[in-house]
Structure formats: C-alpha cells, structure tokens
Amino acid sequence: CAGVVGAIQDNNIGISGVAPNCKIMSISLSMYYSMPISYYATAINWAWKHGADILSNSYHIPTPSNYVNNAIDSALQHGRNGLGCPILFASGNNNSSSINYPASLANTIAVGAMSPCGERKNPNSCDGESWGSNYGSGLDVVAPGVLIPTTTINNGYNLSFNGTSSACPH
C-alpha cells in the first residue's frame, strides 16, 4: 500500500506513487485476527496523535467494536490539530452487497475497486479475474484495484497487486 501512495517519482527506476511527495507513517498490525480488537483502536489513536493527516486502512475487522468506533471518532474530531483526519477503509473483496466493517461506518470513506475497463470489479469484469469488490449503499468511491504496480519490502516490485487493499491507497 505504501508503494501505491508514495513510491518515488522521476528516479528512472520502478514506479511512481499517486502522491510521491507525501510522508508515510507505517503502523503494522497482524492481519490474522489473532490480536485483541483494541489493538486496532490503539493503532488508529497512535496515528492521529502522532501527526497522520490521512488514515488509509486496507483491512477489515471481523467484529464491530466500540473501541474502534471511538478511535475513529477521535481521529475525525481531534486529528490534524482539530481539523479531523479523513479515514479510508477498503470495502472488501467478497463481491458482496454489504461493505466490511469498519468501512461500513457512515463516518469513514469506503473504497471499492474498479476493473481496468472502468466498471466495479466483479467476477465477470474484463480482466478475467474471479473476485469482486464489495458494493452497496455504503460504498463511497471506487479506484483502480486490478494489476496495480507497487513496491515490495526487498527493493523489488509487484506488478499485480489486487483488491480493495490496492484501491484504498489510490
């Protein structure tokens, strides 16, 4: 996700991010749901308290939580020195008419994926891939989410990053 946003521009190697001059704050969480849900709230609170302007979250949480709801509310009210932080979440990749939590919250921006043909990514999209972006009345925006080039941890490149996780940083 960081490479989609901030990969260095005009360096004659690799790719360019959509906002190559931004500063990135990486907050790592286990995406295997083996930790307490309160850790997600702690991460959200840590981000806005330490100067994050925008929170881009390419994950979902299986069970709604007041801890997370309160952290999101705090970031929206107090982040950016009281201006509030926009908070984006990936909508999910289940081709479902319901948006994953916490993207489903009215005060977050739910990001879905679109195919290279400009349609909502679905199992019948022009790209031939069998997954679909979640959709429905809670979806706020779609962005490119198929075969997205990005950077990798070992100074390499992945030319096929897919899903609402790749759309969210767009």
Side-chain angles (χ1 to χ4, degrees), residues 97-136:
S97 62
S98 56
I99 308 301
N100 287 348
Y101 173 83
S104 60
L105 294 172
N107 58 357
T108 65
I109 299 170
V111 182
M114 61 187 240
S115 78
C117 296
E119 61 193 335
R120 178 187 65 85
K121 176 61 188 110
N122 66 75
N124 299 313
S125 296
C126 65
D127 50 62
E129 296 190 359
S130 61
W131 64 277
S133 174
N134 291 3
Y135 59 95

Side-chain angles (χ1 to χ4, degrees), residues 19-87:
N21 296 318
C22 74
K23 294 179 182 177
I24 295 175
M25 178 187 298
S26 176
I27 301 171
S28 297
L29 293 169
S30 169
M31 296 295 110
Y32 299 105
Y33 313 116
S34 60
M35 65 183 165
I37 288 180
S38 64
Y39 284 26
Y40 292 96
T42 299
I44 291 167
N45 282 322
W46 193 93
W48 74 261
K49 288 179 180 180
H50 286 85
D53 290 328
I54 299 169
L55 282 66
S56 176
N57 303 277
S58 289
Y59 62 88
H60 76 278
I61 301 171
T63 305
S65 162
N66 284 333
Y67 292 119
V68 173
N69 295 349
N70 292 338
I72 289 170
D73 288 342
S74 292
L76 288 166
Q77 293 173 14
H78 306 294
R80 296 187 310 140
N81 296 315
L83 296 174
C85 294
I87 304 174

Side-chain angles (χ1 to χ4, degrees), residues 149-164:
T150 191
T151 56
T152 63
I153 293 174
N154 298 321
N155 296 320
Y157 299 95
N158 175 351
L159 301 179
S160 58
F161 184 29
N162 282 347
T164 58

